[in-house]
Amino acid sequence: MNFDDEFIGNAEMSVIGAIILDETSLAKVIDKIEPADFHYPELREIYGSILNLSSAGKPIDYVTVVDGIRGDKNFGEGFNKNDLQKILIRCCETTPSLRNVEYYADIVHKSAVSGKIRTALSNALLSDIDSENVEQQGEKLIGILSQIILPIQNKKMQNLNDISENLINYYSGKIEKIENRCDTGYPKIDNFLKGMSGGNLIILASRPKVGKTAFALSIAQNVSETGKKVVFYSQEMLKEELCERILSKKSGISMNKLIDNSLNETDIENLKNTVQEQKNNIIVNDSAGITVQNIRLNCRMIKDLGLIIIDYLQLMKSTSRHETRNQEIGAISRELKKLATDLNVPILCLSQLNRVSNENTRPTSSELRDSGELEQNCNKLMLMWCVKKHENFKTVGVDVALNRRGGTGATLLDFSGENMNFTELNEEYKENNESNSDWRSKIYKKTL
């Protein structure tokens, strides 16, 4: 390839090269540049093909990009596909550093903006401007330049009256929704939460072995049954183990039978019917050490995405260096909050609580592990703890301890580990109920 501007050409090639060498680089630049920002047609087409691979959920590397472009019937005319491999190899060889891919993308974007400004100014100079239309032409030019230069953040600026009118149309039923919202599927908890909405970071925290993964998986099932997709990032359990839990709950077959593979023909038939009946709206990723950028890359192109669940926060990694683990966890939570806003999707992130001498005591937000920023950065905080263990199940409490849009309060659920099932109880949690030897049967009745 021959460049009329070698500096811009190298920047564009470095962006392509960085993505091919490490596909996670795409997450760093995908919000900064689009195919139209590329000056050179060959590189513009290649970047567009990379976005298509990402949208289809396919891996991105040298081989897949070559194969994807060769199989693209709509690929740009006049582009010599025989030179494709040479261009891609040159892109990889030209890339000085993967760390600086965002800087290269900024160069590409600013170059595209400067080109649009030059074109606008050239067109203005060619226009007939005289004393009669000077103000009209000046306003037209300012309008064009504003559209070019206006930052992405400012595009979301909206008059309060317009926002109010939109809300009134929603309240009166003229429009179906104004937000990407989903519920947990547990009425008393949802009455406190008032929904998990796009842009929300919701923290679900408990001490180990209480059942937060099982509870999060139940929420995932309930959301998926509304027709929305749920992406579940499991860094502690394999995807097969999560699937076992779902099958146990939906089929009624005990976890022990599934784990031991001691199923009879009736059980097998039951499982087959369960799989056929369930909606395949839960997507599981059990990669270890996931980053926020990985999640952004995975989820950006998923249609009808209703919820992202991360199990759990303390197992995540940051792409930046931090002096302490507390600072790193705080930074990750801030990045997750920004991601929830950028994708307009609620993120339910599980977190550990510090251990205490009495594991059955009701926790407080001060027990959140590794960072005091979690409470500050989240929109909603749910604390989960074991209230009482019974012979075949246990009663757990769920406390909506922080809610920036809704109420707070605690309620109880019975959890059967035999088939991973939660049953919400009618009454709210009341302090010191353990003093009554028969507290559960007398005060609480199961939801019908």
Side-chain angles (χ1 to χ4, degrees), residues 183-231:
D183 293 320
T184 67
Y186 295 95
K188 290 194 70 63
I189 296 175
D190 290 328
N191 186 51
F192 292 134
L193 287 178
K194 304 301 182 187
M196 299 181 290
S197 301
N200 283 178
L201 174 62
I202 305 104
I203 300 290
L204 172 62
S206 79
R207 304 175 186 112
K209 309 302 181 183
V210 172
K212 62 180 176 294
T213 298
F215 186 55
L217 199 57
S218 292
I219 294 174
Q221 281 183 264
N222 294 338
V223 173
S224 71
E225 289 174 358
T226 67
K228 294 184 177 181
K229 290 186 173 65
V230 179
V231 179

Side-chain angles (χ1 to χ4, degrees), residues 7 28 32 40 75 87 115 121 134 140 163 179 187 196 209 269 285 310 358 407 409 411 414:
F7 179 71
K28 300 178 182 179
K32 294 178 179 289
Y40 296 97
F75 206 76
I87 294 174
L121 292 175
V134 62
K140 182 179 178 180
I163 299 172
E179 58 186 352
M196 299 181 290
K209 309 302 181 183
E269 193 64 28
N285 185 324
I310 303 168
N358 186 356
T411 190
D414 279 344

Side-chain angles (χ1 to χ4, degrees), residues 10-291:
N10 286 336
E12 293 185 359
M13 292 185 73
S14 295
V15 170
I16 300 295
I19 296 170
I20 292 174
L21 292 171
D22 180 6
E23 66 176 332
T24 62
S25 297
L26 179 59
K28 300 178 182 179
V29 304
I30 197 168
D31 289 329
K32 294 178 179 289
I33 53 175
E34 55 188 25
D37 289 335
F38 283 77
H39 177 70
Y40 296 97
E42 298 91 337
L43 300 176
R44 184 187 310 137
E45 298 281 5
I46 291 172
Y47 185 70
S49 294
I50 287 173
L51 294 182
N52 291 337
L53 286 173
S54 175
S55 179
K58 296 180 179 179
I60 301 169
D61 56 31
Y62 174 82
V63 174
T64 59
V65 172
V66 171
D67 183 63
I69 292 177
R70 283 178 172 172
D72 187 356
K73 296 180 180 179
N74 298 319
F75 206 76
E77 296 181 2
F79 181 71
N80 186 353
K81 294 185 180 181
N82 294 328
D83 293 335
L84 172 63
Q85 295 185 21
K86 295 180 181 179
I87 294 174
L88 292 179
I89 290 173
R90 185 177 170 187
C91 286
C92 295
E93 293 175 344
T94 304
T95 305
S97 171
L98 297 180
R99 283 186 189 174
N100 298 330
V101 65
E102 292 178 83
Y103 177 72
Y104 309 145
D106 284 337
I107 295 174
V108 173
H109 175 68
K110 290 176 181 178
S111 172
V113 171
S114 65
K116 292 176 183 177
I117 292 174
R118 283 195 298 270
T119 300
L121 292 175
S122 297
N123 292 336
L125 291 173
L126 294 174
S127 301
D128 293 329
I129 303 176
D130 52 37
S131 59
E132 295 182 358
N133 66 3
V134 62
E135 292 184 0
Q136 181 182 358
Q137 291 291 349
E139 289 179 1
K140 182 179 178 180
L141 179 59
I142 292 172
I144 294 172
L145 292 177
S146 297
Q147 291 178 4
I148 295 172
I149 301 173
L150 192 66
I152 294 175
Q153 294 90 333
N154 290 346
K155 290 181 180 178
K156 292 189 176 182
M157 293 178 68
Q158 190 176 2
N159 186 279
L160 187 60
N161 287 339
D162 294 334
I163 299 172
S164 300
E165 185 177 350
N166 196 31
L167 281 170
I168 292 171
N169 288 334
Y170 168 67
Y171 298 144
S172 60
K174 292 182 179 179
I175 57 176
E176 290 187 5
K177 63 179 182 178
I178 57 173
E179 58 186 352
N180 184 12
R181 168 178 167 166
C182 60
D183 293 320
T184 67
Y186 295 95
K188 290 194 70 63
I189 296 175
D190 290 328
N191 186 51
F192 292 134
L193 287 178
K194 304 301 182 187
M196 299 181 290
S197 301
N200 283 178
L201 174 62
I202 305 104
I203 300 290
L204 172 62
S206 79
R207 304 175 186 112
K209 309 302 181 183
V210 172
K212 62 180 176 294
T213 298
F215 186 55
L217 199 57
S218 292
I219 294 174
Q221 281 183 264
N222 294 338
V223 173
S224 71
E225 289 174 358
T226 67
K228 294 184 177 181
K229 290 186 173 65
V230 179
V231 179
F232 197 109
Y233 287 91
S234 175
Q235 300 175 93
E236 196 172 31
M237 299 176 64
L238 296 176
K239 53 183 178 290
E240 290 82 6
E241 295 174 312
L242 291 177
C243 189
E244 274 183 338
R245 292 187 171 203
I246 293 175
L247 291 175
S248 176
K249 180 179 179 180
K250 298 292 288 185
S251 68
I253 299 173
S254 72
M255 281 293 296
N256 287 333
K257 292 185 74 173
L258 292 176
I259 294 171
D260 295 337
N261 193 14
S262 57
L263 306 176
N264 55 39
E265 292 184 5
T266 302
D267 293 331
I268 296 295
E269 193 64 28
N270 188 358
L271 287 178
K272 289 180 180 179
N273 293 334
T274 299
V275 172
Q276 290 176 355
E277 292 172 2
Q278 71 182 8
K279 295 181 179 179
N280 298 317
N281 287 329
I282 300 179
I283 303 167
V284 179
N285 185 324
D286 59 2
S287 302
I290 201 79
T291 67

